[in-house]
Amino acid sequence: MQNTVFDPNLIKAIIGLGNPGQPYYKTRHNIGFRIIDKIAEQTGVLFNKSDNKEYAKTDSVYLIKPLTFMNKSGEVIPFLQKKGIKPEEILVIHDELEKPFGNVSIKLGGSAKGHNGLKSIIGFMGQDFWRLRFGIGRPNDNSDVGSYVLTPFLKEEESEIIDLITKSIDLIIK
């Protein structure tokens, strides 16, 4: 049985989920990209671009932003598999409807719970990877989830984002 206590020293790749392009950057669905960008900035690495991803490498960890749009995020997994990186050595950063805004946690495995980016990744390598779940809360009208995740954070939420990104990075990098 694998270790169920998160150890950042065992992580070899961090995938931030989001959609490419400036119109999406500050939306709820793109918090993974924003956290990855901040890690890259703090570690001084620059991204390389390939057909389906932007990636950078710190001393020991690949930082990945899929450029395939959310529903095809898993298409970056073969790149990591070719590097010999196993699912339990991967951390995926994603927005989480089931958590209130600002609630951030790390967990191993689980279902996609309707998150299309996670569904795609699970389709490529199964469920046994680490996830940083960044709470975005649910819209008042549950039928409006698709629109909700593609809207920017509210002004008062956006004012807290920098601190929450820092909190998230502190969970990932020790």
Side-chain angles (χ1 to χ4, degrees), residues 24-49:
Y24 296 105
Y25 195 72
K26 289 197 171 185
T27 66
R28 298 169 195 282
H29 229 17
N30 269 49
I31 194 64
F33 275 20
R34 291 176 74 178
I35 293 170
I36 286 284
D37 284 343
K38 191 64 173 176
I39 294 169
E41 178 186 312
Q42 288 178 354
T43 57
V45 297
L46 299 174
F47 284 98
N48 298 296
K49 196 171 194 175

Side-chain angles (χ1 to χ4, degrees), residues 67-166:
L67 298 179
T68 53
F69 287 91
M70 189 64 74
N71 296 356
K72 295 183 177 183
S73 296
E75 291 181 11
V76 301
I77 298 302
F79 169 78
L80 297 173
Q81 290 170 329
K82 285 179 187 168
K83 305 277 182 201
I85 298 173
K86 301 175 188 118
E88 65 272 13
E89 297 171 325
I90 296 173
L91 173 71
V92 176
I93 303 170
H94 64 91
D95 55 300
E96 177 62 63
L97 285 165
E98 304 305 324
K99 291 185 159 293
F101 172 76
N103 184 308
V104 179
S105 66
I106 294 179
K107 91 173 228 184
L108 176 65
S111 72
K113 293 185 181 173
H115 192 293
N116 289 331
L118 291 176
K119 279 182 193 174
S120 179
I121 288 174
I122 289 168
F124 276 85
M125 68 173 180
Q127 300 181 31
D128 294 332
F129 56 91
W130 291 96
R131 300 127 191 255
L132 183 136
R133 303 163 68 211
F134 189 103
I136 62 168
R138 278 197 162 276
N140 293 330
D141 179 0
N142 280 338
S143 66
D144 202 24
V145 167
S147 297
Y148 177 75
V149 298
L150 294 176
T151 59
F153 288 101
L154 300 173
K155 188 176 182 181
E156 57 271 18
E157 292 171 331
E158 188 62 42
S159 69
E160 296 179 48
I161 289 292
I162 299 299
D163 288 340
L164 291 169
I165 287 173
T166 300

